Amino acid sequence: MIEVKAAEHIVLSNALIMAVEEIPLQESVGRVLGDDVVADRDLPPYDRVTMDGIAINYESIEAGIKSFKIKGTQGAGDAHIEIESKEECVEIMTGASLPTTTDTIIRYEDLDVANGIATLTTDNIKRGQNIHYKGSDRKQHQVLAIANQTITSALINTLASVGMYKVPVRRLPKVVVISTGDELVGIEETPAPNEVRRSNVYAIASVLLQEYRLQADLLHVADDKVSIRTALSDCLNKYDTIILSGGVSMGKYDYLPEVLEELQVEKLFHKVSQRPGKPFWFGVDPLQKPVFAFPGNPVSTFMCMYRYFVPWMNKTLQLHAVPAYAVLNEDYSFKPELQYFLQVKIKSSDNGQLVATPHEGNGSGDFVNLLETDAFMELPAEETNFKKGEVYRIWPFKKII
């Protein structure tokens, strides 16, 4: 049995290296950006008018001119209308390109406009007002967004603005999620008194879909050594990584460790000093494809997904993830010398801290308790009593802010 940190190190040391592929812009939200985004021109690309009104040359204001003859109206996207004297102005709309003979915009709210004449109703005019100058946001060739971040709706705006109708993203690994156990039946079936519906595979798949937009394949295998061997052999050929749920403890029908060894999947560890999830098994095949074999209890599987597989995926996709910490909101005790992953409810305090309140369920089979909590708080194995106000790492499985 190894410590949590050692298990984490081994898992992350076996991250894959995913190539970059291009996908349509409208399909890229939630994927990991595969290359830096560079401005193809200045932003904004021209001196942009920010208010509806008139464009003048400020020398007119310095000369004491209060009324201006409207030479024409220029909308966004129109060619410039240039003025030829200090007494002229251009009626202009938000988003239009500033005519080169003007340098100041006066908004409609500060004007009386009648019979082709715009007359000032204020003396508070500043040179260059209401103009968003060319290149004032970013310059051509400047990096706008660095690679290896999740593509959000805010980033989509930038990608579209530089013409990236095809977006470079990290290719997602092909993942299969396999459940084992004769007590498991399909979710559409009515289970016998000694059976339960398969739920772990759907929970695992939902994590991948929620966090990475990765659509995993699902497979169930009976507690039969030949069936397990056939299924695993086939999956090792087809997929980049395998996630297994169940069949790795010490039971008579827990064939997975034996079958994986027969298929030349090297065991890198089996059993981690933690609760829940102690029987966690991890290894790699001869092609360095990782196999995650999680315990069958639902909370154990769920915790291991967020504590080990999500960090593995982040490293595989070269995604920069920021760790989260929270303040324990009440005293708590845990006596076994194991790293404990306490289910907690998270809220934000008035001073901006994340505060974690323990909300234990009835053990690693109580998956319904996950509905009432937001994260796992990782409590160190070398301590027994944890005091209110102490800060520990959390592994959120819901949005907490």
Side-chain angles (χ1 to χ4, degrees):
M1 186 162 61
I2 66 172
E3 302 298 320
V4 168
K5 278 294 182 184
E8 175 189 52
H9 176 74
I10 291 171
V11 168
L12 295 183
S13 296
N14 286 278
L16 301 176
I17 299 175
M18 305 310 296
V20 173
E21 62 181 356
E22 288 191 337
I23 62 174
L25 174 67
Q26 61 269 30
E27 297 176 11
S28 66
V29 175
R31 297 290 297 272
V32 176
L33 185 64
D35 201 356
D36 292 346
V37 179
V38 178
D40 63 336
R41 55 180 183 164
D42 288 346
L43 295 176
Y46 53 83
D47 293 337
R48 177 180 172 273
V49 174
T50 63
M51 287 284 183
D52 296 329
I54 63 170
I56 66 165
N57 191 296
Y58 190 75
E59 291 180 359
S60 303
I61 301 298
E62 293 176 326
I65 298 172
K66 300 289 187 180
S67 294
F68 301 87
K69 180 181 178 182
I70 299 173
K71 185 173 182 181
T73 301
Q74 181 185 324
D78 290 347
H80 286 174
I81 297 174
E82 303 291 353
I83 61 174
E84 298 175 357
S85 71
K86 294 178 181 178
E87 291 79 16
E88 288 185 334
C89 70
V90 177
E91 196 168 9
I92 200 159
M93 304 298 117
T94 300
S97 176
L98 184 72
T100 59
T101 49
T102 67
D103 60 9
T104 301
I105 304 299
I106 303 172
R107 59 183 188 163
Y108 280 134
E109 292 88 337
D110 297 324
L111 297 166
D112 277 336
V113 179
N115 301 318
I117 302 295
T119 303
L120 294 181
T121 59
T122 180
D123 293 326
N124 186 24
I125 305 298
K126 296 179 180 178
R127 184 190 296 271
Q129 68 182 25
N130 301 322
I131 299 168
H132 191 184
Y133 286 101
K134 178 182 178 181
S136 59
D137 293 341
R138 299 293 187 275
K139 298 294 186 184
Q140 185 180 20
H141 306 309
Q142 187 173 348
V143 174
L144 306 180
I146 60 172
N148 305 326
Q149 61 176 294
T150 301
I151 297 173
T152 63
S153 55
L155 183 50
I156 287 289
N157 203 337
T158 298
L159 295 172
S161 73
V162 299
M164 294 185 70
Y165 60 94
K166 292 284 190 179
V167 182
V169 297
R170 290 283 167 192
R171 186 178 71 81
L172 295 172
K174 290 181 63 178
V175 179
V176 62
V177 183
I178 305 173
S179 59
T180 63
D182 291 342
E183 78 281 11
L184 303 177
V185 299
I187 58 174
E188 74 284 356
E189 299 180 44
T190 300
N194 60 330
E195 296 175 330
V196 294
R197 294 185 179 93
R198 292 192 287 274
S199 61
N200 279 1
V201 289
Y202 295 100
I204 292 170
S206 71
V207 172
L208 298 174
L209 190 61
Q210 174 179 290
E211 302 293 334
Y212 307 104
R213 292 189 63 192
L214 190 159
Q215 193 78 51
D217 290 336
L218 305 182
L219 181 65
H220 179 71
V221 183
D223 279 331
D224 172 76
K225 188 175 177 181
V226 174
S227 299
I228 292 173
R229 181 186 176 92
T230 300
L232 285 177
S233 178
D234 184 55
C235 289
L236 286 168
N237 289 326
K238 289 182 178 179
Y239 295 94
D240 297 313
T241 189
I242 296 173
I243 303 174
L244 293 146
S245 177
V248 291
S249 295
M250 302 299 292
K252 186 174 181 179
Y253 301 113
D254 290 335
Y255 297 119
L256 282 178
E258 180 183 351
V259 172
L260 287 167
E261 183 178 356
E262 291 175 2
L263 293 172
Q264 297 184 327
V265 178
E266 180 187 1
K267 178 185 75 175
L268 299 181
F269 63 77
H270 185 194
K271 295 185 181 179
V272 183
S273 181
Q274 64 185 14
R275 182 180 292 177
K278 182 178 176 181
F280 175 26
W281 188 103
F282 179 77
V284 293
D285 78 351
L287 297 177
Q288 299 304 299
K289 294 180 180 180
V291 176
F292 295 80
F294 296 138
N297 281 324
V299 178
S300 298
T301 293
F302 201 67
M303 186 283 290
C304 286
M305 277 296 294
Y306 276 96
R307 183 59 183 88
Y308 299 101
F309 192 85
V310 166
W312 178 87
M313 270 290 290
N314 289 344
K315 187 170 182 183
T316 289
L317 299 176
Q318 300 184 37
L319 179 63
H320 302 310
V322 179
Y325 296 85
V327 178
L328 191 60
N329 199 32
E330 58 187 55
D331 292 347
Y332 185 80
S333 296
F334 180 73
K335 291 184 178 180
E337 292 183 359
L338 298 170
Q339 201 99 338
Y340 187 52
F341 292 86
L342 174 66
Q343 291 182 59
V344 292
K345 294 179 68 69
I346 301 292
K347 68 176 183 179
S348 181
S349 67
D350 292 340
N351 62 1
Q353 287 183 314
L354 294 180
V355 177
T357 301
H359 193 81
E360 282 192 289
N362 293 317
S364 57
D366 185 9
F367 54 85
V368 178
N369 195 65
L370 295 169
L371 301 178
E372 306 297 326
T373 56
D374 305 301
F376 294 102
M377 175 171 268
E378 185 170 343
L379 302 177
E382 60 272 14
E383 297 180 30
T384 298
N385 298 310
F386 307 93
K387 300 298 183 182
K388 178 179 179 179
E390 294 177 342
V391 177
Y392 298 103
R393 177 84 181 266
I394 59 171
W395 300 89
F397 49 82
K398 296 178 186 174
K399 288 188 176 181
I400 55 177
I401 54 172

